[in-house]
Amino acid sequence: MKINENMVVGLTYELKVTNEASEDLPFSVEVRDESDPFYFLYGNSGLPEAFEKKLREKTKGDRFQFVLEVAEAYGEADDELVVSVPKAQFNQERGFQEEMLQEGNFLPLVDEEGYPMQAKIVKDLGEELLLDFNHPLTGMNLHFDGEVFEVREATDKEKEEGFMP
């Protein structure tokens, strides 16, 4: 079975990144192995289009190795997605603990429609936190090396509601 629209795809891989302008060697940021493969619904994943395109037509057991340049991955950082938010919004009643509010941490948040998102704490400004809502891999070249672990037809429910592993 080949990877195409409305297929559930499972991958094992190592993801390494480099800064857009860096001449440094890529460094590993994620490994997904057989005990914890990465699954997504092809054509409706929210992943970069170039990522899906490079996997199209592959079958279970096929190896892959490719690089997504910044422009075809998550793009450049958007300064408008770096905002100051009152620290009081991140209280215990809303499920936040003091140790979560440290610079460099990622806060688990939910947008207006109820979708999960995250923001990185860039700086503690006292009464406010400077948060970066850009994707964590913004500004990075993504180096993938992996194997197609599983390919199957998505169920009608998965097609309608989106695949949830």
Side-chain angles (χ1 to χ4, degrees):
M1 191 172 291
K2 292 183 178 181
I3 297 174
N4 280 299
E5 298 295 314
N6 294 316
M7 304 296 278
V8 172
V9 179
L11 304 175
T12 58
Y13 62 81
E14 180 175 15
L15 169 60
K16 296 181 179 181
V17 298
T18 52
N19 186 297
E20 180 180 29
S22 176
E23 296 296 321
D24 295 339
L25 291 174
F27 64 92
S28 184
V29 294
E30 182 179 40
V31 174
R32 300 297 291 261
D33 61 18
E34 293 83 7
S35 66
D36 184 29
F38 174 73
Y39 284 94
F40 66 97
L41 178 60
Y42 189 92
N44 190 21
S45 67
L47 296 166
E49 186 178 321
F51 176 83
E52 289 191 352
K53 191 174 184 179
K54 293 190 183 285
L55 295 169
R56 187 175 189 85
E57 298 291 315
K58 294 201 177 299
T59 61
K60 181 178 179 175
D62 284 353
R63 301 254 342 133
F64 58 88
Q65 187 173 29
F66 57 84
V67 176
L68 297 183
E69 301 293 329
V70 170
E72 58 187 353
Y74 292 100
E76 298 290 340
D78 182 347
D79 291 340
E80 292 184 18
L81 294 177
V82 180
V83 297
S84 293
V85 178
K87 194 187 272 188
Q89 289 189 7
F90 304 102
N91 55 44
Q92 287 189 352
E93 292 83 41
R94 292 187 174 169
F96 295 96
Q97 305 299 321
E98 184 67 32
E99 60 270 10
M100 295 172 74
L101 305 180
Q102 306 299 314
E103 290 180 15
N105 284 354
F106 285 88
L107 294 176
L109 304 171
V110 178
D111 70 11
E112 296 84 21
E113 282 92 45
Y115 293 104
M117 58 189 288
Q118 63 181 3
K120 182 179 181 179
I121 301 173
V122 178
K123 186 146 183 74
D124 186 338
L125 302 171
E127 296 296 315
E128 295 187 329
L129 293 174
L130 186 61
L131 301 180
D132 184 350
F133 287 89
N134 283 291
H135 190 282
L137 296 174
T138 296
M140 299 286 182
N141 298 311
L142 310 181
H143 304 252
F144 289 92
D145 185 6
E147 185 175 325
V148 178
F149 182 72
E150 182 180 358
V151 180
R152 68 169 174 80
E153 190 79 40
T155 65
D156 289 339
K157 183 177 180 181
E158 289 169 334
K159 290 176 195 174
E160 190 175 307
E161 298 177 8
F163 176 75
M164 300 299 284

